[in-house]
Amino acid sequence: MISASDLRAGMTFVQDGKLIKVLDASHHKPGKGNTVMRMKLRDLRSGATYDTTFRPDEKFEKAHIDTKTVQYLYTMDDTAFFMDLVTYDQYELPVETVEHEMKYILENMEVKIQFFGDEVVGIQLPTTVVLRVEETQPSIKGATVTGSGKPATMETGLVVNVPDFIEAGELLEVNTAEGTYVKRAGK
């Protein structure tokens, strides 16, 4: 069992038979009353996200999540297909449950797939990924890193704010936790 005050972003627990992932957690002390935990949660089976509060001493069953390295093959209709590189087993995930993660994944990329028992519940992304800029405004001569930046659409459809000197076609390293530009990755 784990108490609400110990829950952090990325942790998974079971509540009323539902498998819940913590997206964001923070302590909140209102002017009057007791401290509460504000949580942004995602139901891993339905994909629904919601905000809620818990008392810090509420207890939950911690979910044991296993991971396995797989290769992303392709998406067809509403399903994303992945393959275990050792056993060649294929796994199917509904795109709607991993919609956020799919913006960071290219075909043939290796990712970790998450299991709760035998049930596939999600994808664990690497900390950063390298993506190509598909479309952005033309670069500005003499632009520096400290400028306000401009939006760039990556090859997966993800929109990232990048420095003014970045051009279409460049490879960029993108932080998957925050969806932010890290650095150039080369051409």
Side-chain angles (χ1 to χ4, degrees):
M1 298 296 277
I2 189 167
S3 64
S5 61
D6 294 330
L7 290 173
R8 302 285 179 260
M11 295 177 96
T12 307
F13 64 94
V14 178
Q15 180 186 28
D16 301 328
K18 294 179 180 177
L19 194 58
I20 308 293
K21 182 174 185 173
V22 179
L23 301 177
D24 189 35
S26 62
H27 288 270
H28 178 69
K29 176 78 170 128
K32 291 183 177 180
N34 296 325
T35 301
V36 294
M37 295 296 299
R38 285 187 175 167
M39 303 271 185
K40 182 171 186 173
L41 306 173
R42 176 188 292 148
D43 183 330
L44 291 178
R45 292 185 177 116
S46 71
T49 59
Y50 58 96
D51 295 315
T52 190
T53 58
F54 296 118
R55 292 185 323 275
D57 59 345
E58 284 187 68
K59 301 277 187 202
F60 302 99
E61 178 187 342
K62 188 172 182 182
H64 182 69
I65 303 293
D66 294 316
T67 60
K68 183 184 284 190
T69 302
V70 296
Q71 182 181 49
Y72 169 60
L73 299 175
Y74 59 91
T75 299
M76 186 166 68
D77 299 325
D78 298 347
T79 307
F81 293 87
F82 298 85
M83 180 180 67
D84 185 320
L85 295 172
V86 176
T87 64
Y88 300 109
D89 290 339
Q90 288 196 13
Y91 302 99
E92 301 175 10
L93 278 167
V95 171
E96 64 188 20
T97 62
V98 290
E99 193 171 357
H100 171 74
E101 291 87 349
M102 292 303 291
K103 292 182 179 180
Y104 299 95
I105 301 174
L106 297 171
E107 286 186 8
N108 301 322
M109 184 181 280
E110 288 186 21
V111 295
K112 292 186 191 268
I113 204 165
Q114 299 171 319
F115 292 89
F116 179 66
D118 291 336
E119 181 183 1
V120 178
V121 293
I123 299 171
Q124 181 180 335
L125 295 170
T127 308
T128 60
V129 294
V130 175
L131 298 173
R132 182 176 311 282
V133 176
E134 283 293 314
E135 184 180 331
T136 190
Q137 300 167 0
S139 66
I140 300 169
K141 187 173 175 90
T144 63
V145 177
T146 57
S148 62
K150 60 184 178 180
T153 304
M154 309 309 283
E155 59 190 311
T156 59
L158 177 70
V159 177
V160 177
N161 198 39
V162 298
D164 291 326
F165 59 82
I166 298 295
E167 298 178 3
E170 288 191 67
L171 292 175
L172 304 181
E173 197 170 304
V174 178
N175 179 316
T176 58
E178 300 167 3
T180 56
Y181 163 84
V182 177
K183 64 180 182 180
R184 281 178 167 162
K187 291 195 177 201

